[in-house]
Amino acid sequence: MSDLKYRLKVMVMMMVIVSWRCVLGLENINPIFFDEGLSHLFGESNLIRSPDDRSVRLLLDKYTGSGFISSSMYQHGFFSSLIKLPGANTAGLVVAFYTSNGDVFVKNHDELDIEFLGNVEGKPWRFQTNMYGNGSTSRGREERYRLWFDPSKEFHRYSILWNPTKIIFWVDDVPIREIKRKEEMRGDYPQKPMSLYATIWDASSWATSGGKFGVDYTFSPFVSEFKDIALDGCNVSESLTTVTRDNYNNINCSASDQLLMTSDYSTISPKQAAAMRRFRERYMYYSYCYDTVRYAVPPPECVILTAEKDRFRDTGRLKFGGSHTKVHRARKRRRRNRSTPVVSAEL
């Protein structure tokens, strides 16, 4: 290859990388070293840090799972990581990336979850998002989805934005769920400082087909990798030696909150809003907002869309032969006839 052709090729590659970063807003994401803001949670022998301290592997074997936690608690924040999940037979597994304050506020804890649910070999991973506020675990707000890619093949970025007015769950550059705070939610909207957690563990009793398929340890160890982890928000631990039920209100987070509310990842562009609608139409297969068996009156944060509601039974699950199945098959046919990759924002 001539020197000119080589330089042109490099320039094109750099332009693609820069444009991709701009789409995701990655120029505003600042990954940390593990020692900068994270610490071991459990299963120490199954937590393996990279030599450059930028990534960590979490393993599950027949003896233990593993996990890490942020060294500080945050009053609102943006929590993000590139994650790659285990492959092969992952039935019974759960890999979780979430925020919680359950260790401090035992009876009225808050929580924001991204939980990946393993599956039998040949079947895709599924995942769910959830929100609890003020210990409202009896009022779970689960949504469950499929992905438009295989999360065990390569890294993808998963993010949680939590500020005083909204919560957004992101997969790469696609916002998949937005919860806008309403006065009627009261304490059900998370309001207390939370830590970031990442774990891998055995959930054989429920994770796959309601517990029908448990973890098969002949496939172990199961390895999930996290890298380029970002923590951005009001670090209350810098001002409080110990966060308690009474003292967290003494911290002024107004400057940090303002940054969170004006950041790229707290704003959904028209293009991203369209991508979110397409994602939910094609890949969401359960929503508590349409589960009238559990909630005769939808919780106050629910925005009931006729186009969405028509696809779900009164259990909140897709009707048989719903649009997801048809769209999925059509997409597979299109992929067989296409040589160029799909841009995720286009879904």
Side-chain angles (χ1 to χ4, degrees), residues 88-135:
N89 190 332
T90 56
L93 249 66
V94 169
V95 176
F97 184 75
Y98 65 104
T99 64
S100 178
N101 49 34
D103 290 341
V104 176
F105 304 95
V106 178
K107 295 183 179 180
N108 62 337
H109 86 284
D110 306 302
E111 192 168 316
L112 296 170
D113 297 323
I114 299 177
E115 292 181 311
F116 301 97
L117 312 177
N119 217 333
V120 295
E121 192 165 13
K123 298 291 185 179
W125 279 84
R126 301 182 179 191
F127 76 111
Q128 66 182 22
T129 61
N130 209 340
M131 178 189 74
Y132 301 119
N134 204 33

Side-chain angles (χ1 to χ4, degrees), residues 105 243-250:
F105 304 95
V243 177
T244 69
R245 288 174 295 178
D246 302 315
N247 69 357
Y248 73 92
N249 282 320
N250 298 327

Side-chain angles (χ1 to χ4, degrees), residues 2-13 15:
S2 69
D3 185 55
L4 177 59
K5 288 183 178 179
Y6 176 76
R7 288 202 299 269
L8 287 172
K9 183 177 181 180
V10 171
M11 288 175 62
V12 170
M13 290 176 64
M15 289 172 65

Side-chain angles (χ1 to χ4, degrees), residues 73 104 236-248:
M73 299 184 75
V104 176
V236 301
S237 301
E238 291 180 350
S239 303
L240 301 173
T241 304
T242 304
V243 177
T244 69
R245 288 174 295 178
D246 302 315
N247 69 357
Y248 73 92

Side-chain angles (χ1 to χ4, degrees), residues 16-251:
V16 170
I17 292 170
V18 169
S19 64
W20 188 69
R21 288 178 63 86
C22 290
V23 168
L24 301 188
L26 292 183
E27 67 275 9
N28 295 321
I29 294 178
N30 300 307
I32 62 171
F33 293 103
F34 191 91
D35 269 343
E36 283 184 305
L38 304 168
S39 59
H40 159 255
L41 179 63
F42 72 100
E44 187 169 5
S45 61
N46 280 356
L47 186 152
I48 303 172
R49 291 160 56 176
S50 65
D52 65 2
D53 213 32
R54 286 289 194 183
S55 67
V56 58
R57 291 183 174 183
L58 298 182
L59 280 63
L60 169 69
D61 58 27
K62 64 181 179 179
Y63 302 106
T64 184
S66 53
F68 61 82
I69 183 175
S70 60
S71 304
S72 300
M73 299 184 75
Y74 294 83
Q75 180 64 39
H76 307 127
F78 178 73
F79 312 94
S80 183
S81 180
L82 288 169
I83 303 173
K84 186 164 70 171
L85 302 178
N89 190 332
T90 56
L93 249 66
V94 169
V95 176
F97 184 75
Y98 65 104
T99 64
S100 178
N101 49 34
D103 290 341
V104 176
F105 304 95
V106 178
K107 295 183 179 180
N108 62 337
H109 86 284
D110 306 302
E111 192 168 316
L112 296 170
D113 297 323
I114 299 177
E115 292 181 311
F116 301 97
L117 312 177
N119 217 333
V120 295
E121 192 165 13
K123 298 291 185 179
W125 279 84
R126 301 182 179 191
F127 76 111
Q128 66 182 22
T129 61
N130 209 340
M131 178 189 74
Y132 301 119
N134 204 33
S136 59
T137 54
S138 63
R139 299 188 298 279
R141 289 161 159 83
E142 309 100 316
E143 288 187 349
R144 288 192 175 186
Y145 328 86
R146 299 173 179 86
L147 288 160
W148 64 95
F149 54 82
D150 184 343
S152 69
K153 297 298 185 184
E154 57 187 8
F155 285 94
H156 288 268
R157 182 166 290 280
Y158 305 89
S159 309
I160 302 171
L161 178 282
W162 166 51
N163 70 31
T165 63
K166 70 175 68 172
I167 295 161
I168 304 175
F169 294 91
W170 293 85
V171 177
D172 291 331
D173 59 331
V174 178
I176 63 166
R177 180 181 183 184
E178 181 181 32
I179 302 168
K180 293 183 178 179
R181 184 176 184 177
K182 293 184 178 179
E183 189 64 33
E184 297 89 337
M185 295 178 69
R186 301 181 181 178
D188 280 3
Y189 188 88
Q191 300 176 57
K192 301 181 290 294
M194 291 192 278
S195 300
L196 172 70
Y197 294 80
T199 57
I200 183 171
W201 52 288
D202 185 329
S204 294
S205 63
W206 65 271
T208 308
S209 300
K212 182 178 179 181
F213 301 100
V215 176
D216 183 349
Y217 283 103
T218 61
F219 290 89
S220 69
F222 302 96
V223 181
S224 185
E225 189 168 357
F226 298 75
K227 70 178 184 179
D228 289 352
I229 302 163
L231 300 170
D232 186 12
C234 185
N235 185 336
V236 301
S237 301
E238 291 180 350
S239 303
L240 301 173
T241 304
T242 304
V243 177
T244 69
R245 288 174 295 178
D246 302 315
N247 69 357
Y248 73 92
N249 282 320
N250 298 327
I251 300 301

